[in-house]
Amino acid sequence: MQEITALTEAPELEGWRRVASGKVREIYVPADGTDDRVLMVATDRISAFDYILDSAIPGKGAVLTGLTLWWFEQLADIVPNHLLSVDVPAEVRGRAMICRRLDMFPVECVVRGYLTGSGLTDYRETGEIHGVSLPAGLTQDSRIPQPVFTPAAKAELGEHDENVSFERVAEMVGWDMAERLQDLSLQIYTRASDLAAERGIILADTKFEFGVIPGGDGTVVLGDEVLTPDSSRFWPADEWQPGSVTPSFDKQYVRDWLDSPASGWDRASGERPPALPAEVVANTQARYFEAYKILTGRDL
């Protein structure tokens, strides 16, 4: 893989004014304020355990943007999205999108198809996942009989999203809209899971964000990033074995290293995580690029 210069800080872009920064993305609006477009730039920053790490993964932002664009094409018949153009400033070409501004719902629309992460913890404690009863005898990375919608309330930067019930989502956005978000999330997951399976990849779980166009007719629009290694767990199907942890194409590799004795970091200490070794950066980068190539069938 050729050497790539990492983008970690928000660049100055002619004609655009930066208005917000997230863990990974920088958000700009037209400097003259003449319209409702937003420019979303995916940096190469990486976060874990609610920290933005001091290390970056070169090219990661291009993978996130490229995969999102590819998935938008695959999902266009299910739900409209916020993409307007990829005619972006040269400094961020390949890692940025010009999008329609949306009023976003304050909900992370999570769908789980396999028992892992916090879903596995929930199941082991209660026999349920997010209040949905599951059969006895499931184990690490087991397939869930039917994908489960497990929403979360969005938190401020640096805070944990809070798992919430469907009823709580209905209180936040209205019952009809809550049902619409659940239905769309499950439809998208099913389509994406089938497409990934054709390419030898399991989509274990993922999350979506939706909004509506300000002043529009209320049509739900898919926004933010979609089905990337940052927002999803992708597993190689030929290495999946219920009862054991499946290797992944996402940043779980970074989380695992931080949780290992090799990092020397105690998650409960309140201290920032250490910088990632060059080997961990390179291996993480390779996973992101491999996910892109397997899913899309092309090199970035």
Side-chain angles (χ1 to χ4, degrees):
M1 183 182 299
Q2 67 182 31
E3 186 174 349
I4 302 170
T5 301
L7 176 68
T8 58
E9 300 298 328
E12 293 293 327
L13 300 175
E14 184 177 357
W16 296 90
R17 175 172 58 88
R18 185 168 64 93
V19 294
S21 292
K23 291 177 181 176
V24 173
R25 280 167 185 76
E26 302 287 351
I27 307 299
Y28 299 75
V29 298
D32 58 10
T34 55
D35 57 51
D36 288 337
R37 294 175 302 154
V38 294
L39 175 66
M40 298 179 60
V41 178
T43 72
D44 296 328
R45 296 191 296 260
I46 189 166
S47 66
F49 304 120
D50 293 317
Y51 290 94
I52 299 173
L53 303 186
D54 293 334
S55 304
I57 308 300
K60 173 175 171 282
V63 171
L64 301 184
T65 300
L67 267 179
T68 294
L69 293 171
W70 186 80
W71 282 113
F72 279 164
E73 294 175 2
Q74 315 311 311
L75 303 170
D77 61 319
I78 296 177
V79 60
N81 60 70
H82 65 162
L83 177 68
L84 291 174
S85 171
V86 291
D87 184 14
V88 300
E91 300 95 316
V92 292
R93 189 167 296 139
R95 60 168 69 246
M97 306 180 295
I98 296 174
C99 301
R100 182 180 288 111
R101 183 173 68 83
L102 301 177
D103 287 335
M104 302 300 292
F105 295 110
V107 180
E108 295 274 5
C109 293
V110 181
V111 181
R112 302 176 189 272
Y114 290 76
L115 203 54
T116 188
S118 62
L120 176 62
T121 302
D122 194 8
Y123 173 78
R124 285 172 170 169
E125 293 176 351
T126 66
E128 301 177 341
I129 179 171
H130 213 80
V132 177
S133 295
L134 296 180
L138 300 182
T139 185
Q140 173 81 52
D141 291 3
S142 287
R143 184 173 184 176
I144 298 171
Q146 293 291 333
V148 179
F149 179 65
T150 62
K154 292 182 187 177
E156 296 297 322
L157 183 63
E159 301 295 327
H160 286 287
D161 291 338
E162 177 190 1
N163 290 338
V164 294
S165 65
F166 179 85
E167 289 72 20
R168 175 61 183 135
V169 175
E171 291 175 4
M172 297 164 68
V173 304
W175 195 271
D176 288 346
M177 185 56 72
E179 289 186 331
R180 179 64 174 151
L181 295 180
Q182 176 178 251
D183 182 57
L184 279 174
S185 298
L186 291 170
Q187 284 188 61
I188 295 169
Y189 175 85
T190 299
R191 168 71 62 78
S193 181
D194 289 346
L195 286 171
E198 292 172 4
R199 294 155 172 79
I201 289 182
I202 290 171
L203 175 59
D205 55 38
T206 191
K207 63 180 178 180
F208 308 111
E209 295 193 33
F210 299 96
V212 294
I213 298 171
D217 62 3
T219 298
V220 177
V221 178
L222 181 61
D224 200 57
E225 67 176 299
V226 179
L227 294 156
T228 73
D230 269 15
S231 65
S232 316
R233 284 187 175 93
F234 292 118
W235 297 339
D238 59 359
E239 296 186 54
W240 172 61
Q241 181 64 48
S244 61
V245 176
T246 310
S248 65
F249 291 109
D250 52 61
K251 63 181 178 181
Q252 188 61 42
Y253 179 79
V254 171
R255 297 189 193 100
D256 290 345
W257 182 82
L258 290 171
D259 259 345
S260 74
S263 75
W265 181 60
D266 179 3
R267 228 203 296 182
S269 68
E271 297 178 356
R272 287 187 53 76
L276 303 176
E279 180 183 13
V280 174
V281 169
N283 288 342
T284 304
Q285 181 192 50
R287 281 167 165 77
Y288 274 77
F289 276 76
E290 185 178 7
Y292 179 88
K293 183 170 184 177
I294 293 174
L295 286 167
T296 68
R298 55 186 182 238
D299 290 313
L300 192 64

